[in-house]
PDB file of all heavy atoms in Angstrom:
ATOM      1  N   MET A   1     -29.616  41.483   1.812  1.00 48.00           N
ATOM      2  CA  MET A   1     -30.753  40.535   1.726  1.00 48.00           C
ATOM      3  C   MET A   1     -30.859  39.843   3.091  1.00 48.00           C
ATOM      4  O   MET A   1     -32.078  39.666   3.552  1.00 48.00           O
ATOM      5  CB  MET A   1     -30.498  39.559   0.633  1.00 48.00           C
ATOM      6  CG  MET A   1     -31.595  38.622   0.412  1.00 48.00           C
ATOM      7  SD  MET A   1     -31.285  37.608  -1.053  1.00 48.00           S
ATOM      8  CE  MET A   1     -32.702  36.584  -0.943  1.00 48.00           C
ATOM      9  N   TYR A   2     -29.864  39.387   3.705  1.00 50.00           N
ATOM     10  CA  TYR A   2     -29.897  38.680   5.031  1.00 50.00           C
ATOM     11  C   TYR A   2     -29.237  39.526   6.055  1.00 50.00           C
ATOM     12  O   TYR A   2     -28.195  40.151   5.793  1.00 50.00           O
ATOM     13  CB  TYR A   2     -29.219  37.324   4.983  1.00 50.00           C
ATOM     14  CG  TYR A   2     -29.854  36.366   3.950  1.00 50.00           C
ATOM     15  CD1 TYR A   2     -29.209  36.179   2.735  1.00 50.00           C
ATOM     16  CD2 TYR A   2     -30.987  35.739   4.261  1.00 50.00           C
ATOM     17  CE1 TYR A   2     -29.763  35.299   1.855  1.00 50.00           C
ATOM     18  CE2 TYR A   2     -31.636  34.887   3.364  1.00 50.00           C
ATOM     19  CZ  TYR A   2     -30.973  34.681   2.122  1.00 50.00           C
ATOM     20  OH  TYR A   2     -31.594  33.823   1.271  1.00 50.00           O
ATOM     21  N   LYS A   3     -29.796  39.575   7.233  1.00 54.00           N
ATOM     22  CA  LYS A   3     -29.253  40.318   8.324  1.00 54.00           C
ATOM     23  C   LYS A   3     -28.117  39.590   8.990  1.00 54.00           C
ATOM     24  O   LYS A   3     -27.159  40.147   9.455  1.00 54.00           O
ATOM     25  CB  LYS A   3     -30.337  40.639   9.395  1.00 54.00           C
ATOM     26  CG  LYS A   3     -31.303  41.635   8.868  1.00 54.00           C
ATOM     27  CD  LYS A   3     -32.400  41.949   9.910  1.00 54.00           C
ATOM     28  CE  LYS A   3     -33.415  42.830   9.341  1.00 54.00           C
ATOM     29  NZ  LYS A   3     -34.488  43.084  10.240  1.00 54.00           N
ATOM     30  N   THR A   4     -28.262  38.238   9.042  1.00 66.00           N
ATOM     31  CA  THR A   4     -27.250  37.364   9.608  1.00 66.00           C
ATOM     32  C   THR A   4     -26.114  37.096   8.665  1.00 66.00           C
ATOM     33  O   THR A   4     -26.377  36.652   7.550  1.00 66.00           O
ATOM     34  CB  THR A   4     -27.890  36.025  10.121  1.00 66.00           C
ATOM     35  OG1 THR A   4     -29.014  36.345  10.908  1.00 66.00           O
ATOM     36  CG2 THR A   4     -26.877  35.177  10.844  1.00 66.00           C
ATOM     37  N   ASN A   5     -24.914  37.235   9.061  1.00 85.00           N
ATOM     38  CA  ASN A   5     -23.714  36.948   8.231  1.00 85.00           C
ATOM     39  C   ASN A   5     -23.309  35.550   8.504  1.00 85.00           C
ATOM     40  O   ASN A   5     -23.197  35.111   9.616  1.00 85.00           O
ATOM     41  CB  ASN A   5     -22.613  37.922   8.516  1.00 85.00           C
ATOM     42  CG  ASN A   5     -21.590  38.014   7.461  1.00 85.00           C
ATOM     43  OD1 ASN A   5     -21.851  37.464   6.323  1.00 85.00           O
ATOM     44  ND2 ASN A   5     -20.531  38.680   7.640  1.00 85.00           N
ATOM     45  N   VAL A   6     -23.053  34.824   7.410  1.00 89.00           N
ATOM     46  CA  VAL A   6     -22.632  33.443   7.523  1.00 89.00           C
ATOM     47  C   VAL A   6     -21.179  33.317   7.162  1.00 89.00           C
ATOM     48  O   VAL A   6     -20.749  33.774   6.081  1.00 89.00           O
ATOM     49  CB  VAL A   6     -23.423  32.554   6.635  1.00 89.00           C
ATOM     50  CG1 VAL A   6     -22.958  31.083   6.673  1.00 89.00           C
ATOM     51  CG2 VAL A   6     -24.896  32.501   7.048  1.00 89.00           C
ATOM     52  N   ASP A   7     -20.318  32.702   8.050  1.00 93.00           N
ATOM     53  CA  ASP A   7     -18.905  32.433   7.734  1.00 93.00           C
ATOM     54  C   ASP A   7     -18.798  31.155   6.941  1.00 93.00           C
ATOM     55  O   ASP A   7     -18.799  30.052   7.524  1.00 93.00           O
ATOM     56  CB  ASP A   7     -18.155  32.438   9.009  1.00 93.00           C
ATOM     57  CG  ASP A   7     -16.610  32.123   8.731  1.00 93.00           C
ATOM     58  OD1 ASP A   7     -16.150  32.267   7.617  1.00 93.00           O
ATOM     59  OD2 ASP A   7     -15.960  31.755   9.695  1.00 93.00           O
ATOM     60  N   PHE A   8     -18.766  31.274   5.582  1.00 96.00           N
ATOM     61  CA  PHE A   8     -18.696  30.030   4.777  1.00 96.00           C
ATOM     62  C   PHE A   8     -17.379  29.317   4.997  1.00 96.00           C
ATOM     63  O   PHE A   8     -17.334  27.993   4.832  1.00 96.00           O
ATOM     64  CB  PHE A   8     -18.822  30.384   3.342  1.00 96.00           C
ATOM     65  CG  PHE A   8     -20.308  30.539   2.889  1.00 96.00           C
ATOM     66  CD1 PHE A   8     -21.009  31.678   3.221  1.00 96.00           C
ATOM     67  CD2 PHE A   8     -20.866  29.532   2.194  1.00 96.00           C
ATOM     68  CE1 PHE A   8     -22.343  31.789   2.782  1.00 96.00           C
ATOM     69  CE2 PHE A   8     -22.186  29.651   1.766  1.00 96.00           C
ATOM     70  CZ  PHE A   8     -22.943  30.781   2.089  1.00 96.00           C
ATOM     71  N   SER A   9     -16.301  29.933   5.463  1.00 95.00           N
ATOM     72  CA  SER A   9     -15.038  29.289   5.595  1.00 95.00           C
ATOM     73  C   SER A   9     -15.091  28.170   6.697  1.00 95.00           C
ATOM     74  O   SER A   9     -14.331  27.201   6.734  1.00 95.00           O
ATOM     75  CB  SER A   9     -13.932  30.207   5.890  1.00 95.00           C
ATOM     76  OG  SER A   9     -14.096  30.827   7.206  1.00 95.00           O
ATOM     77  N   GLY A  10     -15.982  28.333   7.662  1.00 95.00           N
ATOM     78  CA  GLY A  10     -16.144  27.401   8.835  1.00 95.00           C
ATOM     79  C   GLY A  10     -17.098  26.293   8.503  1.00 95.00           C
ATOM     80  O   GLY A  10     -17.254  25.393   9.381  1.00 95.00           O
ATOM     81  N   LEU A  11     -17.825  26.300   7.416  1.00 97.00           N
ATOM     82  CA  LEU A  11     -18.852  25.319   7.146  1.00 97.00           C
ATOM     83  C   LEU A  11     -18.333  23.968   6.721  1.00 97.00           C
ATOM     84  O   LEU A  11     -17.289  23.904   6.063  1.00 97.00           O
ATOM     85  CB  LEU A  11     -19.829  25.733   6.066  1.00 97.00           C
ATOM     86  CG  LEU A  11     -20.720  27.081   6.355  1.00 97.00           C
ATOM     87  CD1 LEU A  11     -21.580  27.304   5.163  1.00 97.00           C
ATOM     88  CD2 LEU A  11     -21.501  26.874   7.591  1.00 97.00           C
ATOM     89  N   ARG A  12     -18.948  22.931   7.108  1.00 97.00           N
ATOM     90  CA  ARG A  12     -18.605  21.539   6.773  1.00 97.00           C
ATOM     91  C   ARG A  12     -19.790  21.031   5.932  1.00 97.00           C
ATOM     92  O   ARG A  12     -20.901  20.932   6.454  1.00 97.00           O
ATOM     93  CB  ARG A  12     -18.350  20.641   7.945  1.00 97.00           C
ATOM     94  CG  ARG A  12     -17.198  21.125   8.852  1.00 97.00           C
ATOM     95  CD  ARG A  12     -16.878  20.260  10.021  1.00 97.00           C
ATOM     96  NE  ARG A  12     -16.738  18.867   9.744  1.00 97.00           N
ATOM     97  CZ  ARG A  12     -15.615  18.335   9.319  1.00 97.00           C
ATOM     98  NH1 ARG A  12     -14.504  19.079   9.246  1.00 97.00           N
ATOM     99  NH2 ARG A  12     -15.541  17.011   9.050  1.00 97.00           N
ATOM    100  N   ILE A  13     -19.591  20.778   4.680  1.00 98.00           N
ATOM    101  CA  ILE A  13     -20.671  20.348   3.797  1.00 98.00           C
ATOM    102  C   ILE A  13     -20.389  18.971   3.179  1.00 98.00           C
ATOM    103  O   ILE A  13     -19.282  18.814   2.694  1.00 98.00           O
ATOM    104  CB  ILE A  13     -20.899  21.463   2.687  1.00 98.00           C
ATOM    105  CG1 ILE A  13     -21.356  22.739   3.380  1.00 98.00           C
ATOM    106  CG2 ILE A  13     -21.947  21.010   1.715  1.00 98.00           C
ATOM    107  CD1 ILE A  13     -21.572  23.935   2.445  1.00 98.00           C
ATOM    108  N   LEU A  14     -21.430  18.162   3.143  1.00 98.00           N
ATOM    109  CA  LEU A  14     -21.362  16.864   2.453  1.00 98.00           C
ATOM    110  C   LEU A  14     -22.069  16.980   1.091  1.00 98.00           C
ATOM    111  O   LEU A  14     -23.254  17.380   1.133  1.00 98.00           O
ATOM    112  CB  LEU A  14     -22.013  15.804   3.334  1.00 98.00           C
ATOM    113  CG  LEU A  14     -22.167  14.433   2.701  1.00 98.00           C
ATOM    114  CD1 LEU A  14     -20.783  13.791   2.387  1.00 98.00           C
ATOM    115  CD2 LEU A  14     -22.895  13.463   3.651  1.00 98.00           C
ATOM    116  N   VAL A  15     -21.456  16.664   0.077  1.00 97.00           N
ATOM    117  CA  VAL A  15     -21.937  16.668  -1.237  1.00 97.00           C
ATOM    118  C   VAL A  15     -22.270  15.198  -1.657  1.00 97.00           C
ATOM    119  O   VAL A  15     -21.321  14.449  -1.795  1.00 97.00           O
ATOM    120  CB  VAL A  15     -21.092  17.336  -2.317  1.00 97.00           C
ATOM    121  CG1 VAL A  15     -21.706  17.179  -3.658  1.00 97.00           C
ATOM    122  CG2 VAL A  15     -20.902  18.791  -1.961  1.00 97.00           C
ATOM    123  N   VAL A  16     -23.504  14.779  -1.903  1.00 96.00           N
ATOM    124  CA  VAL A  16     -23.880  13.447  -2.271  1.00 96.00           C
ATOM    125  C   VAL A  16     -24.466  13.601  -3.719  1.00 96.00           C
ATOM    126  O   VAL A  16     -25.520  13.975  -3.981  1.00 96.00           O
ATOM    127  CB  VAL A  16     -24.923  12.884  -1.407  1.00 96.00           C
ATOM    128  CG1 VAL A  16     -25.252  11.415  -1.705  1.00 96.00           C
ATOM    129  CG2 VAL A  16     -24.513  13.106   0.118  1.00 96.00           C
ATOM    130  N   GLU A  17     -23.555  13.248  -4.651  1.00 94.00           N
ATOM    131  CA  GLU A  17     -23.835  13.346  -6.138  1.00 94.00           C
ATOM    132  C   GLU A  17     -23.256  12.129  -6.805  1.00 94.00           C
ATOM    133  O   GLU A  17     -22.060  11.866  -6.689  1.00 94.00           O
ATOM    134  CB  GLU A  17     -23.360  14.642  -6.638  1.00 94.00           C
ATOM    135  CG  GLU A  17     -23.275  14.884  -8.085  1.00 94.00           C
ATOM    136  CD  GLU A  17     -24.690  14.817  -8.713  1.00 94.00           C
ATOM    137  OE1 GLU A  17     -25.554  15.682  -8.405  1.00 94.00           O
ATOM    138  OE2 GLU A  17     -24.935  13.907  -9.566  1.00 94.00           O
ATOM    139  N   ASN A  18     -24.076  11.446  -7.598  1.00 91.00           N
ATOM    140  CA  ASN A  18     -23.465  10.281  -8.308  1.00 91.00           C
ATOM    141  C   ASN A  18     -22.726  10.522  -9.605  1.00 91.00           C
ATOM    142  O   ASN A  18     -22.019   9.768 -10.090  1.00 91.00           O
ATOM    143  CB  ASN A  18     -24.651   9.202  -8.595  1.00 91.00           C
ATOM    144  CG  ASN A  18     -25.643   9.723  -9.498  1.00 91.00           C
ATOM    145  OD1 ASN A  18     -25.754  10.912  -9.685  1.00 91.00           O
ATOM    146  ND2 ASN A  18     -26.340   8.757 -10.049  1.00 91.00           N
ATOM    147  N   HIS A  19     -22.844  11.806 -10.162  1.00 92.00           N
ATOM    148  CA  HIS A  19     -22.112  12.145 -11.346  1.00 92.00           C
ATOM    149  C   HIS A  19     -20.836  12.877 -10.831  1.00 92.00           C
ATOM    150  O   HIS A  19     -20.981  13.958 -10.250  1.00 92.00           O
ATOM    151  CB  HIS A  19     -22.944  13.004 -12.253  1.00 92.00           C
ATOM    152  CG  HIS A  19     -24.049  12.242 -12.880  1.00 92.00           C
ATOM    153  ND1 HIS A  19     -25.258  12.151 -12.383  1.00 92.00           N
ATOM    154  CD2 HIS A  19     -24.045  11.477 -14.064  1.00 92.00           C
ATOM    155  CE1 HIS A  19     -26.073  11.419 -13.192  1.00 92.00           C
ATOM    156  NE2 HIS A  19     -25.302  10.995 -14.204  1.00 92.00           N
ATOM    157  N   GLU A  20     -19.707  12.279 -11.102  1.00 92.00           N
ATOM    158  CA  GLU A  20     -18.505  12.869 -10.651  1.00 92.00           C
ATOM    159  C   GLU A  20     -18.269  14.382 -11.121  1.00 92.00           C
ATOM    160  O   GLU A  20     -17.925  15.138 -10.353  1.00 92.00           O
ATOM    161  CB  GLU A  20     -17.279  11.964 -11.069  1.00 92.00           C
ATOM    162  CG  GLU A  20     -15.983  12.411 -10.531  1.00 92.00           C
ATOM    163  CD  GLU A  20     -14.812  11.572 -10.906  1.00 92.00           C
ATOM    164  OE1 GLU A  20     -15.067  10.418 -11.307  1.00 92.00           O
ATOM    165  OE2 GLU A  20     -13.707  12.049 -10.881  1.00 92.00           O
ATOM    166  N   LEU A  21     -18.546  14.654 -12.357  1.00 94.00           N
ATOM    167  CA  LEU A  21     -18.400  15.995 -12.829  1.00 94.00           C
ATOM    168  C   LEU A  21     -19.256  17.011 -12.115  1.00 94.00           C
ATOM    169  O   LEU A  21     -18.810  18.015 -11.734  1.00 94.00           O
ATOM    170  CB  LEU A  21     -18.651  16.043 -14.386  1.00 94.00           C
ATOM    171  CG  LEU A  21     -18.452  17.403 -15.015  1.00 94.00           C
ATOM    172  CD1 LEU A  21     -17.013  17.881 -14.892  1.00 94.00           C
ATOM    173  CD2 LEU A  21     -18.852  17.304 -16.476  1.00 94.00           C
ATOM    174  N   MET A  22     -20.500  16.617 -11.867  1.00 94.00           N
ATOM    175  CA  MET A  22     -21.419  17.567 -11.159  1.00 94.00           C
ATOM    176  C   MET A  22     -20.940  17.695  -9.717  1.00 94.00           C
ATOM    177  O   MET A  22     -21.003  18.785  -9.117  1.00 94.00           O
ATOM    178  CB  MET A  22     -22.866  17.005 -11.182  1.00 94.00           C
ATOM    179  CG  MET A  22     -23.887  17.913 -10.564  1.00 94.00           C
ATOM    180  SD  MET A  22     -23.912  19.428 -11.514  1.00 94.00           S
ATOM    181  CE  MET A  22     -24.951  20.348 -10.440  1.00 94.00           C
ATOM    182  N   GLY A  23     -20.447  16.664  -9.112  1.00 94.00           N
ATOM    183  CA  GLY A  23     -19.874  16.786  -7.760  1.00 94.00           C
ATOM    184  C   GLY A  23     -18.710  17.640  -7.718  1.00 94.00           C
ATOM    185  O   GLY A  23     -18.593  18.495  -6.738  1.00 94.00           O
ATOM    186  N   ARG A  24     -17.819  17.569  -8.649  1.00 95.00           N
ATOM    187  CA  ARG A  24     -16.673  18.450  -8.695  1.00 95.00           C
ATOM    188  C   ARG A  24     -17.094  19.909  -8.897  1.00 95.00           C
ATOM    189  O   ARG A  24     -16.556  20.817  -8.227  1.00 95.00           O
ATOM    190  CB  ARG A  24     -15.634  18.063  -9.731  1.00 95.00           C
ATOM    191  CG  ARG A  24     -14.778  16.922  -9.330  1.00 95.00           C
ATOM    192  CD  ARG A  24     -13.648  16.655 -10.284  1.00 95.00           C
ATOM    193  NE  ARG A  24     -14.270  16.103 -11.485  1.00 95.00           N
ATOM    194  CZ  ARG A  24     -13.582  16.002 -12.619  1.00 95.00           C
ATOM    195  NH1 ARG A  24     -12.370  16.457 -12.691  1.00 95.00           N
ATOM    196  NH2 ARG A  24     -14.151  15.537 -13.654  1.00 95.00           N
ATOM    197  N   LEU A  25     -18.057  20.097  -9.731  1.00 96.00           N
ATOM    198  CA  LEU A  25     -18.578  21.446 -10.011  1.00 96.00           C
ATOM    199  C   LEU A  25     -19.176  22.111  -8.786  1.00 96.00           C
ATOM    200  O   LEU A  25     -18.900  23.244  -8.404  1.00 96.00           O
ATOM    201  CB  LEU A  25     -19.684  21.470 -11.142  1.00 96.00           C
ATOM    202  CG  LEU A  25     -20.325  22.796 -11.524  1.00 96.00           C
ATOM    203  CD1 LEU A  25     -19.245  23.717 -12.052  1.00 96.00           C
ATOM    204  CD2 LEU A  25     -21.410  22.548 -12.492  1.00 96.00           C
ATOM    205  N   LEU A  26     -19.977  21.273  -8.043  1.00 97.00           N
ATOM    206  CA  LEU A  26     -20.535  21.780  -6.733  1.00 97.00           C
ATOM    207  C   LEU A  26     -19.439  22.129  -5.768  1.00 97.00           C
ATOM    208  O   LEU A  26     -19.453  23.166  -5.076  1.00 97.00           O
ATOM    209  CB  LEU A  26     -21.478  20.751  -6.176  1.00 97.00           C
ATOM    210  CG  LEU A  26     -22.839  20.655  -6.909  1.00 97.00           C
ATOM    211  CD1 LEU A  26     -23.528  19.353  -6.458  1.00 97.00           C
ATOM    212  CD2 LEU A  26     -23.689  21.814  -6.675  1.00 97.00           C
ATOM    213  N   GLY A  27     -18.407  21.242  -5.705  1.00 96.00           N
ATOM    214  CA  GLY A  27     -17.277  21.459  -4.816  1.00 96.00           C
ATOM    215  C   GLY A  27     -16.554  22.814  -5.185  1.00 96.00           C
ATOM    216  O   GLY A  27     -16.158  23.519  -4.244  1.00 96.00           O
ATOM    217  N   GLU A  28     -16.370  23.018  -6.492  1.00 97.00           N
ATOM    218  CA  GLU A  28     -15.701  24.272  -6.891  1.00 97.00           C
ATOM    219  C   GLU A  28     -16.502  25.462  -6.578  1.00 97.00           C
ATOM    220  O   GLU A  28     -16.005  26.506  -6.139  1.00 97.00           O
ATOM    221  CB  GLU A  28     -15.410  24.170  -8.451  1.00 97.00           C
ATOM    222  CG  GLU A  28     -14.208  23.279  -8.755  1.00 97.00           C
ATOM    223  CD  GLU A  28     -12.952  23.526  -8.025  1.00 97.00           C
ATOM    224  OE1 GLU A  28     -12.523  24.689  -7.956  1.00 97.00           O
ATOM    225  OE2 GLU A  28     -12.338  22.602  -7.564  1.00 97.00           O
ATOM    226  N   MET A  29     -17.811  25.474  -6.651  1.00 97.00           N
ATOM    227  CA  MET A  29     -18.685  26.511  -6.302  1.00 97.00           C
ATOM    228  C   MET A  29     -18.571  26.757  -4.856  1.00 97.00           C
ATOM    229  O   MET A  29     -18.379  27.885  -4.443  1.00 97.00           O
ATOM    230  CB  MET A  29     -20.108  26.201  -6.667  1.00 97.00           C
ATOM    231  CG  MET A  29     -20.468  26.360  -8.133  1.00 97.00           C
ATOM    232  SD  MET A  29     -22.237  26.201  -8.327  1.00 97.00           S
ATOM    233  CE  MET A  29     -22.393  25.223  -9.759  1.00 97.00           C
ATOM    234  N   LEU A  30     -18.601  25.658  -3.956  1.00 97.00           N
ATOM    235  CA  LEU A  30     -18.494  25.831  -2.506  1.00 97.00           C
ATOM    236  C   LEU A  30     -17.169  26.434  -2.161  1.00 97.00           C
ATOM    237  O   LEU A  30     -17.121  27.303  -1.344  1.00 97.00           O
ATOM    238  CB  LEU A  30     -18.726  24.546  -1.876  1.00 97.00           C
ATOM    239  CG  LEU A  30     -20.128  23.891  -1.997  1.00 97.00           C
ATOM    240  CD1 LEU A  30     -20.133  22.397  -1.515  1.00 97.00           C
ATOM    241  CD2 LEU A  30     -21.142  24.711  -1.194  1.00 97.00           C
ATOM    242  N   ARG A  31     -16.106  25.979  -2.781  1.00 97.00           N
ATOM    243  CA  ARG A  31     -14.773  26.588  -2.510  1.00 97.00           C
ATOM    244  C   ARG A  31     -14.726  28.058  -2.884  1.00 97.00           C
ATOM    245  O   ARG A  31     -14.181  28.919  -2.239  1.00 97.00           O
ATOM    246  CB  ARG A  31     -13.656  25.768  -3.194  1.00 97.00           C
ATOM    247  CG  ARG A  31     -13.242  24.559  -2.377  1.00 97.00           C
ATOM    248  CD  ARG A  31     -12.040  23.886  -2.976  1.00 97.00           C
ATOM    249  NE  ARG A  31     -12.333  22.889  -4.011  1.00 97.00           N
ATOM    250  CZ  ARG A  31     -12.975  21.750  -3.837  1.00 97.00           C
ATOM    251  NH1 ARG A  31     -13.399  21.444  -2.654  1.00 97.00           N
ATOM    252  NH2 ARG A  31     -13.195  20.950  -4.780  1.00 97.00           N
ATOM    253  N   GLY A  32     -15.419  28.393  -3.970  1.00 96.00           N
ATOM    254  CA  GLY A  32     -15.509  29.784  -4.382  1.00 96.00           C
ATOM    255  C   GLY A  32     -16.205  30.655  -3.349  1.00 96.00           C
ATOM    256  O   GLY A  32     -15.969  31.908  -3.169  1.00 96.00           O
ATOM    257  N   PHE A  33     -17.198  30.059  -2.587  1.00 96.00           N
ATOM    258  CA  PHE A  33     -17.835  30.766  -1.552  1.00 96.00           C
ATOM    259  C   PHE A  33     -17.048  30.909  -0.304  1.00 96.00           C
ATOM    260  O   PHE A  33     -17.397  31.552   0.674  1.00 96.00           O
ATOM    261  CB  PHE A  33     -19.139  30.102  -1.138  1.00 96.00           C
ATOM    262  CG  PHE A  33     -20.131  29.810  -2.279  1.00 96.00           C
ATOM    263  CD1 PHE A  33     -20.998  28.789  -2.197  1.00 96.00           C
ATOM    264  CD2 PHE A  33     -20.158  30.599  -3.409  1.00 96.00           C
ATOM    265  CE1 PHE A  33     -21.916  28.521  -3.247  1.00 96.00           C
ATOM    266  CE2 PHE A  33     -21.007  30.344  -4.470  1.00 96.00           C
ATOM    267  CZ  PHE A  33     -21.884  29.292  -4.340  1.00 96.00           C
ATOM    268  N   GLY A  34     -15.888  30.165  -0.231  1.00 96.00           N
ATOM    269  CA  GLY A  34     -14.976  30.184   0.905  1.00 96.00           C
ATOM    270  C   GLY A  34     -15.042  28.892   1.753  1.00 96.00           C
ATOM    271  O   GLY A  34     -14.364  28.743   2.727  1.00 96.00           O
ATOM    272  N   VAL A  35     -15.878  27.964   1.393  1.00 97.00           N
ATOM    273  CA  VAL A  35     -16.033  26.710   2.161  1.00 97.00           C
ATOM    274  C   VAL A  35     -14.732  25.851   1.974  1.00 97.00           C
ATOM    275  O   VAL A  35     -14.230  25.695   0.904  1.00 97.00           O
ATOM    276  CB  VAL A  35     -17.255  25.850   1.647  1.00 97.00           C
ATOM    277  CG1 VAL A  35     -17.256  24.512   2.468  1.00 97.00           C
ATOM    278  CG2 VAL A  35     -18.490  26.584   1.776  1.00 97.00           C
ATOM    279  N   ARG A  36     -14.141  25.446   3.142  1.00 96.00           N
ATOM    280  CA  ARG A  36     -12.909  24.684   3.081  1.00 96.00           C
ATOM    281  C   ARG A  36     -13.012  23.262   3.414  1.00 96.00           C
ATOM    282  O   ARG A  36     -12.175  22.448   3.100  1.00 96.00           O
ATOM    283  CB  ARG A  36     -11.930  25.370   4.099  1.00 96.00           C
ATOM    284  CG  ARG A  36     -11.506  26.741   3.760  1.00 96.00           C
ATOM    285  CD  ARG A  36     -10.474  27.287   4.759  1.00 96.00           C
ATOM    286  NE  ARG A  36     -11.153  27.375   6.043  1.00 96.00           N
ATOM    287  CZ  ARG A  36     -10.628  28.048   7.057  1.00 96.00           C
ATOM    288  NH1 ARG A  36      -9.450  28.633   6.955  1.00 96.00           N
ATOM    289  NH2 ARG A  36     -11.231  28.082   8.223  1.00 96.00           N
ATOM    290  N   HIS A  37     -14.197  22.883   3.974  1.00 97.00           N
ATOM    291  CA  HIS A  37     -14.430  21.482   4.371  1.00 97.00           C
ATOM    292  C   HIS A  37     -15.607  20.845   3.529  1.00 97.00           C
ATOM    293  O   HIS A  37     -16.660  21.084   3.894  1.00 97.00           O
ATOM    294  CB  HIS A  37     -14.683  21.302   5.849  1.00 97.00           C
ATOM    295  CG  HIS A  37     -13.640  22.002   6.694  1.00 97.00           C
ATOM    296  ND1 HIS A  37     -12.380  21.421   6.940  1.00 97.00           N
ATOM    297  CD2 HIS A  37     -13.684  23.187   7.381  1.00 97.00           C
ATOM    298  CE1 HIS A  37     -11.768  22.228   7.728  1.00 97.00           C
ATOM    299  NE2 HIS A  37     -12.441  23.296   7.956  1.00 97.00           N
ATOM    300  N   VAL A  38     -15.210  20.192   2.481  1.00 97.00           N
ATOM    301  CA  VAL A  38     -16.228  19.521   1.570  1.00 97.00           C
ATOM    302  C   VAL A  38     -15.891  18.068   1.519  1.00 97.00           C
ATOM    303  O   VAL A  38     -14.760  17.680   1.248  1.00 97.00           O
ATOM    304  CB  VAL A  38     -16.222  20.160   0.189  1.00 97.00           C
ATOM    305  CG1 VAL A  38     -17.333  19.442  -0.651  1.00 97.00           C
ATOM    306  CG2 VAL A  38     -16.520  21.665   0.164  1.00 97.00           C
ATOM    307  N   ARG A  39     -16.864  17.258   1.808  1.00 97.00           N
ATOM    308  CA  ARG A  39     -16.757  15.772   1.615  1.00 97.00           C
ATOM    309  C   ARG A  39     -17.667  15.317   0.546  1.00 97.00           C
ATOM    310  O   ARG A  39     -18.712  15.985   0.346  1.00 97.00           O
ATOM    311  CB  ARG A  39     -17.119  15.090   2.954  1.00 97.00           C
ATOM    312  CG  ARG A  39     -16.266  15.355   4.137  1.00 97.00           C
ATOM    313  CD  ARG A  39     -15.037  14.432   4.089  1.00 97.00           C
ATOM    314  NE  ARG A  39     -14.211  14.753   5.226  1.00 97.00           N
ATOM    315  CZ  ARG A  39     -13.879  13.909   6.119  1.00 97.00           C
ATOM    316  NH1 ARG A  39     -14.303  12.625   6.092  1.00 97.00           N
ATOM    317  NH2 ARG A  39     -13.033  14.262   7.074  1.00 97.00           N
ATOM    318  N   TYR A  40     -17.295  14.217  -0.124  1.00 97.00           N
ATOM    319  CA  TYR A  40     -18.100  13.767  -1.251  1.00 97.00           C
ATOM    320  C   TYR A  40     -18.496  12.334  -1.014  1.00 97.00           C
ATOM    321  O   TYR A  40     -17.727  11.512  -0.458  1.00 97.00           O
ATOM    322  CB  TYR A  40     -17.211  13.824  -2.490  1.00 97.00           C
ATOM    323  CG  TYR A  40     -16.822  15.168  -2.858  1.00 97.00           C
ATOM    324  CD1 TYR A  40     -15.596  15.586  -2.510  1.00 97.00           C
ATOM    325  CD2 TYR A  40     -17.538  16.009  -3.655  1.00 97.00           C
ATOM    326  CE1 TYR A  40     -15.130  16.909  -2.831  1.00 97.00           C
ATOM    327  CE2 TYR A  40     -17.134  17.346  -3.996  1.00 97.00           C
ATOM    328  CZ  TYR A  40     -15.948  17.737  -3.554  1.00 97.00           C
ATOM    329  OH  TYR A  40     -15.570  19.043  -3.937  1.00 97.00           O
ATOM    330  N   ALA A  41     -19.752  12.021  -1.491  1.00 95.00           N
ATOM    331  CA  ALA A  41     -20.238  10.632  -1.541  1.00 95.00           C
ATOM    332  C   ALA A  41     -20.907  10.490  -2.897  1.00 95.00           C
ATOM    333  O   ALA A  41     -21.567  11.421  -3.388  1.00 95.00           O
ATOM    334  CB  ALA A  41     -21.142  10.320  -0.424  1.00 95.00           C
ATOM    335  N   HIS A  42     -20.865   9.254  -3.471  1.00 94.00           N
ATOM    336  CA  HIS A  42     -21.439   9.016  -4.848  1.00 94.00           C
ATOM    337  C   HIS A  42     -22.696   8.222  -4.770  1.00 94.00           C
ATOM    338  O   HIS A  42     -23.403   7.989  -5.685  1.00 94.00           O
ATOM    339  CB  HIS A  42     -20.373   8.326  -5.742  1.00 94.00           C
ATOM    340  CG  HIS A  42     -19.174   9.162  -5.898  1.00 94.00           C
ATOM    341  ND1 HIS A  42     -19.207  10.336  -6.617  1.00 94.00           N
ATOM    342  CD2 HIS A  42     -17.963   9.027  -5.514  1.00 94.00           C
ATOM    343  CE1 HIS A  42     -18.028  10.916  -6.597  1.00 94.00           C
ATOM    344  NE2 HIS A  42     -17.192  10.060  -5.895  1.00 94.00           N
TER     345      HIS A  42
END
């Protein structure tokens, strides 16, 4: 689908979600993609 390959393990992502459960779910999905650097704010 995409010609450019993205290294998810090197990405730094900020998740801003006020519901703790949804924030954790998003974090687990990101870790499943290989993202190692996830920060959270509520």
Side-chain angles (χ1 to χ4, degrees):
M1 182 172 179
Y2 298 102
K3 293 179 182 177
T4 306
N5 199 8
V6 174
D7 177 16
F8 276 77
S9 67
L11 294 181
R12 298 179 55 83
I13 298 181
L14 174 62
V15 175
V16 186
E17 170 62 60
N18 64 340
H19 290 91
E20 187 177 337
L21 182 60
M22 185 65 190
R24 281 191 289 165
L25 179 63
L26 288 166
E28 288 302 315
M29 284 189 221
L30 293 169
R31 278 189 272 293
F33 307 153
V35 178
R36 293 184 298 195
H37 306 285
V38 180
R39 296 277 178 118
Y40 300 93
H42 301 291

